[in-house]
Amino acid sequence: MLSVVARPLGLGASCCRGSRRAIATVISGNKASKLVRERLKEEVEKMKVQFCGFRPSLVVLQVCVFQVGDRDDSNLYISTKLKAAAEVLHSIMSVNENQTVHGLIVQLPLDTVNHINSELVTNAVSPEKDVDGLSCINAGKLSRGDLNDCFIPCTPNGCLELIRQTGVSVAGKHAVVIGRSKIVGAPMHDLLLWNHATVTTCHSKTPDLPEQVGRADILVVGAGRAEMVRGGWVKEGAVVIDCGINYVPDETRASGKRVVGDVHYASANQRAGFITPVPGGVGPMTVAMLMENTVQSAQRFLLRSQSHG
Ligand code: GUN
């Protein structure tokens, strides 16, 4: 496998220069995702030749419902809300039945003034097309370790791929995950566990976060808080994977803002062995893994249709 880690300025990750430790090796999600996309392109080409122009297909459903009228009338409100939910579910059902579509994701959070139960929506997606891996069926299989019989959510899957790129094996390591969301933290916990790490999952009620972080050989952060993890907490030589995307004010930029992760990069890269940058780390891998799941779904579809035909 090709490596996508890069040593900045020729400094090693784990060696020392005098008393000063070298900075961490950067794990490039841009490079890793390019390799995945190139591999997928070849696989899709093969499918196309073997199955008469067959192409994997993905539908991304963006829910955007606006309140109709401005009457403060609870009956109108309730009927608009029910109509919005019914329309979303109807769209999902029609994609579920469409044999030319192999993957379906509903963009979260649901962008609607009328609250729609997101569990209802994610579970309406057929498990065979749930390339986000968010339905109870896929999440349940992942939690039980049926990794080859489910769709793994794209961000955790991308994080695992980035960890693999470092050459550090997960088995037997102590992994710490910060965050327990259905998209990132919870499936990341399961994925690391079934790759044989000992896993601690931290969240907003964890009282001793710096101590927990300090025990991590592998740290995955999906907390949604800008630069929350400080470099001083990080264990020397750890693999640090940052899933955060936060905008902070920056007057030196024309836009007046810049994007940072959930890890304070400038201090964490003084202690970590490997670290993902933001941007250019986990983000591009999430997209690549969505493509990977879609291709996998199309391959399963072809296998099913061959065995039925
Ligand atoms: N919004 C942010 N990340 C994701 C994701 O991975 N899947 C979906 N469906 N929505 C998202």
Side-chain angles (χ1 to χ4, degrees):
M1 187 192 296
L2 285 170
S3 169
V4 294
V5 292
R7 292 184 192 285
L9 306 175
L11 293 177
S14 54
C15 63
C16 293
R17 291 214 165 164
S19 60
R20 200 175 155 274
R21 208 185 155 277
I23 60 174
T25 298
V26 179
I27 315 165
S28 169
N30 287 331
K31 287 185 190 165
S33 62
K34 189 160 175 265
L35 294 178
V36 172
R37 280 185 276 114
E38 282 167 2
R39 175 170 52 75
L40 293 177
K41 208 170 155 189
E42 282 174 21
E43 283 180 35
V44 170
E45 264 321 300
K46 273 192 227 153
M47 281 175 162
K48 214 166 143 184
V49 172
Q50 204 179 340
F51 296 95
C52 315
F54 175 92
R55 289 167 72 99
S57 145
L58 168 72
V59 168
V60 179
L61 208 61
Q62 175 101 47
V63 177
C64 198
V65 185
F66 298 102
Q67 188 108 38
V68 182
D70 55 1
R71 276 172 57 191
D72 185 16
D73 172 327
S74 68
N75 285 336
L76 178 68
Y77 175 71
I78 288 165
S79 80
T80 311
K81 187 170 157 165
L82 290 176
K83 231 184 253 172
E87 265 174 49
V88 174
L89 293 176
H90 183 263
S91 306
I92 293 172
M93 297 306 168
S94 93
V95 178
N96 281 346
E97 283 160 23
N98 184 340
Q99 292 300 299
T100 67
V101 177
H102 313 103
L104 165 59
I105 71 166
V106 183
Q107 193 62 33
L108 297 173
L110 297 172
D111 178 19
T112 168
V113 287
N114 304 290
H115 176 74
I116 298 176
N117 182 344
S118 61
E119 274 297 290
L120 198 68
V121 168
T122 49
N123 284 315
V125 176
S126 156
E128 287 86 33
K129 296 189 182 185
D130 171 30
V131 288
D132 242 343
L134 296 180
S135 66
C136 286
I137 300 282
N138 280 308
K141 286 182 178 178
L142 174 60
S143 77
R144 291 181 175 200
D146 290 342
L147 304 191
N148 295 321
D149 185 34
C150 70
F151 287 112
I152 298 168
C154 305
T155 299
N157 212 8
C159 292
L160 186 67
E161 191 53 45
L162 291 172
I163 295 166
R164 288 204 178 113
Q165 294 290 339
T166 66
V168 172
S169 76
V170 173
K173 296 294 184 334
H174 190 171
V176 172
V177 178
I178 305 183
R180 54 180 164 176
S181 69
K182 288 175 188 163
I183 293 185
V184 181
M188 190 75 241
H189 167 104
D190 296 339
L191 199 52
L192 288 163
L193 180 69
W194 292 109
N195 278 275
H196 315 299
T198 302
V199 190
T200 302
T201 297
C202 303
H203 46 76
S204 54
K205 299 284 190 291
T206 300
D208 55 348
L209 193 57
E211 285 78 9
Q212 296 295 343
V213 168
R215 292 188 193 111
D217 302 308
I218 297 167
L219 176 67
V220 182
V221 190
R225 288 181 57 188
E227 300 180 322
M228 181 189 76
V229 172
R230 313 307 293 182
W233 304 359
V234 173
K235 183 175 178 176
E236 287 248 332
V239 177
V240 177
I241 308 289
D242 187 351
C243 304
I245 301 173
N246 310 284
Y247 290 92
V248 294
D250 185 345
E251 285 167 10
T252 68
R253 303 281 174 101
S255 63
K257 61 187 178 184
R258 77 191 148 94
V259 65
V260 297
D262 292 351
V263 175
H264 185 258
Y265 188 87
S267 56
N269 80 347
Q270 302 295 311
R271 290 178 65 89
F274 298 87
I275 191 165
T276 56
V278 177
V282 171
M285 280 307 275
T286 297
V287 180
M289 291 296 119
L290 178 60
M291 299 302 120
E292 165 114 50
N293 279 355
T294 304
V295 171
Q296 196 178 91
S297 179
Q299 283 164 339
R300 288 177 188 168
F301 172 88
L302 287 172
L303 275 176
R304 278 197 303 271
S305 45
Q306 273 177 321
S307 64
H308 291 153

